[in-house]
Amino acid sequence: MSHLSPFQTFLLLSILKIVVVLVITLTAVAYTVLLERKVLGHMQNRWGPSRVGPFGLLQPLADGIKLFLKEDLLPFAAERPLFILAPIIALSCALVSIAVVPFGAAHRIQGVDMFDISDINIGLLVILGITSIGVYGIALSGWSSNNKFSLLGSLRATSQMISYELALGLSLVGVVLRAQSLNLRTIVDSQSAHGLLSWNFFGGFQFVAFFIYLMAAYAETNRTPFDLPEAESELVAGYHTEYSSMKFAMFFMAEYANMITVSCVATLMFFGGASSPFGHLIPVFGGAIVQAILPVLWFVAKVFAFLLLYIWVRGTLPRFRYDQLMSFGWKFLLPLAMANIIITSLVLALHG
């Protein structure tokens, strides 16, 4: 790269990094589906996918080929432009939010942080803003399908996501107050000094906020026990009833990409991000490559643990009734989140 100008080098490295992260994210989405099928299979005393490739590891590839080759149906009375646009909006918002996640320690090459696509001061707001736009994809999919079951599913999803966005956003305010920043890198650095004891979940006494965030995240991603927009016993398949082929796959990918994003945010806000659970208690060892890769492995391990928790809950809990869903969000989680903000503010004011 010696013959390139600094700007060209910066641009080339940034594009390369975005492409690599996008490929890794899509691969992670595909294998999260396989992980869920395998784990649920073991929980229910069956094998799960085991035929395609060794231990079923090529099952995501087979699923992708199948979905590409299936007939792409379009309902006669559907609003064609919006029907096509809806899954694009859902998947795009799910993938773009990964752009501000610092998934490793700061490691710069030619001025580019290789483990953070976009280090901006309001990274947390960007994630919350982009993921909230994803609801338009679901709302448009139900309305444009001209199907009553799809419409009911999209209305459920819209009201559910708007309701639980309040609790989810408020649950993170205590962490922001402690770090005094909306920059995700700064929030992670504020938890890295003493390992576990510095993490907001343990040392910051934000375990109540984490509980609120976790419950709201389940609802935001339409996962069990809050998967009412897709309730197959009531709505056939919910908002994507009329979708087939890759359009259906895009909604499916968006759901799992949102799961990964939610797990990344939980890791960053409550469990120290890419920092070691041992903090600075264990001396740094290895060369520059080891020091660059080790934080990424810590981050991936924490995200993987959250994904396992998602899957465990899906295989364990039954679906809520819709009135229970709304009551839980408005009458319990929202007041609890506000109380957590008040208590955290008082504690910081008294000990500040």
Side-chain angles (χ1 to χ4, degrees):
M1 294 186 184
S2 57
H3 62 284
L4 298 177
S5 68
F7 175 76
Q8 290 174 325
T9 303
F10 176 84
L11 187 63
L12 181 62
L13 286 173
S14 298
I15 293 173
L16 178 63
K17 183 174 60 170
I18 291 171
V19 171
V20 170
V21 170
L22 186 60
V23 170
I24 292 174
T25 302
L26 291 174
T27 305
V29 167
Y31 278 91
T32 301
V33 178
L34 177 63
L35 175 68
E36 181 169 53
R37 293 173 69 179
K38 294 289 281 187
V39 172
L40 289 177
H42 284 290
M43 291 178 69
Q44 297 164 359
N45 198 26
R46 53 185 176 83
W47 282 104
S50 59
R51 300 288 183 180
V52 187
F55 307 105
L57 291 177
L58 296 181
Q59 186 66 48
L61 178 62
D63 291 340
I65 294 173
K66 180 186 73 173
L67 287 165
F68 267 115
L69 297 178
K70 287 181 77 70
E71 182 180 2
D72 187 12
L73 299 173
L74 184 68
F76 177 76
E79 291 287 341
R80 186 184 179 90
L82 296 179
F83 187 83
I84 296 172
L85 182 63
I88 297 174
I89 293 174
L91 182 58
S92 299
C93 292
L95 293 178
V96 169
S97 57
I98 298 288
V100 294
V101 172
F103 51 90
H107 188 76
R108 293 189 175 273
I109 298 176
Q110 297 290 329
V112 180
D113 188 343
M114 299 309 295
F115 298 114
D116 192 352
I117 295 178
S118 179
D119 183 16
I120 57 179
N121 288 332
I122 55 170
L124 180 60
L125 286 183
V126 170
I127 290 180
L128 295 177
I130 292 174
T131 52
S132 66
I133 294 174
V135 72
Y136 287 105
I138 294 175
L140 289 175
S141 68
W143 183 82
S144 64
S145 295
N146 196 27
N147 178 304
K148 60 183 178 183
F149 295 115
S150 298
L151 180 60
L152 286 171
S154 65
L155 289 174
R156 281 186 174 188
T158 304
S159 60
Q160 176 175 319
M161 294 175 76
I162 291 173
S163 299
Y164 278 83
E165 270 178 4
L166 294 170
L168 186 141
L170 291 175
S171 69
L172 302 176
V173 173
V175 175
V176 172
L177 289 173
R178 293 194 75 246
Q180 298 183 3
S181 175
L182 290 168
N183 184 294
L184 293 171
R185 179 73 73 187
T186 303
I187 293 172
V188 170
D189 291 342
S190 70
Q191 304 174 69
S192 60
H194 305 291
L196 287 169
L197 298 178
S198 298
W199 293 357
N200 284 319
F201 182 82
F202 298 107
F205 299 104
Q206 291 296 309
F207 44 83
V208 174
F210 173 70
F211 167 77
I212 299 167
Y213 175 85
L214 197 61
M215 295 300 103
Y218 285 139
E220 281 287 292
T221 50
N222 297 327
R223 296 284 297 182
T224 307
F226 304 116
D227 58 338
L228 280 92
E230 306 170 19
E232 69 281 348
S233 60
E234 306 163 21
L235 302 176
V236 184
Y239 56 87
H240 50 60
T241 298
E242 298 289 352
Y243 283 87
S244 60
S245 188
M246 283 307 296
K247 293 191 186 73
F248 168 77
M250 290 172 77
F251 279 118
F252 203 62
M253 292 164 65
E255 178 179 320
Y256 284 85
N258 282 324
M259 283 173 56
I260 294 173
T261 302
V262 161
S263 300
C264 289
V265 173
T267 299
L268 295 169
M269 301 298 287
F270 297 100
F271 293 93
S275 63
S276 167
F278 307 108
H280 302 311
L281 300 177
I282 296 180
V284 178
F285 63 92
I289 295 177
V290 174
Q291 294 178 26
I293 293 176
L294 197 58
V296 179
L297 296 180
W298 282 123
F299 184 81
V300 170
K302 295 171 187 177
V303 171
F304 184 75
F306 279 106
L307 292 175
L308 285 178
L309 181 61
Y310 254 109
I311 296 167
W312 182 23
V313 169
R314 175 176 178 176
T316 306
L317 298 180
R319 184 180 295 130
F320 277 31
R321 292 198 319 267
Y322 198 75
D323 62 309
Q324 292 174 329
L325 170 79
M326 285 296 151
S327 295
F328 185 65
W330 287 103
K331 297 180 181 178
F332 180 73
L333 286 186
L334 187 60
L336 188 61
M338 297 176 70
N340 180 72
I341 294 173
I342 295 170
I343 293 171
T344 302
S345 301
L346 289 175
V347 170
L348 291 174
L350 292 175
H351 294 277

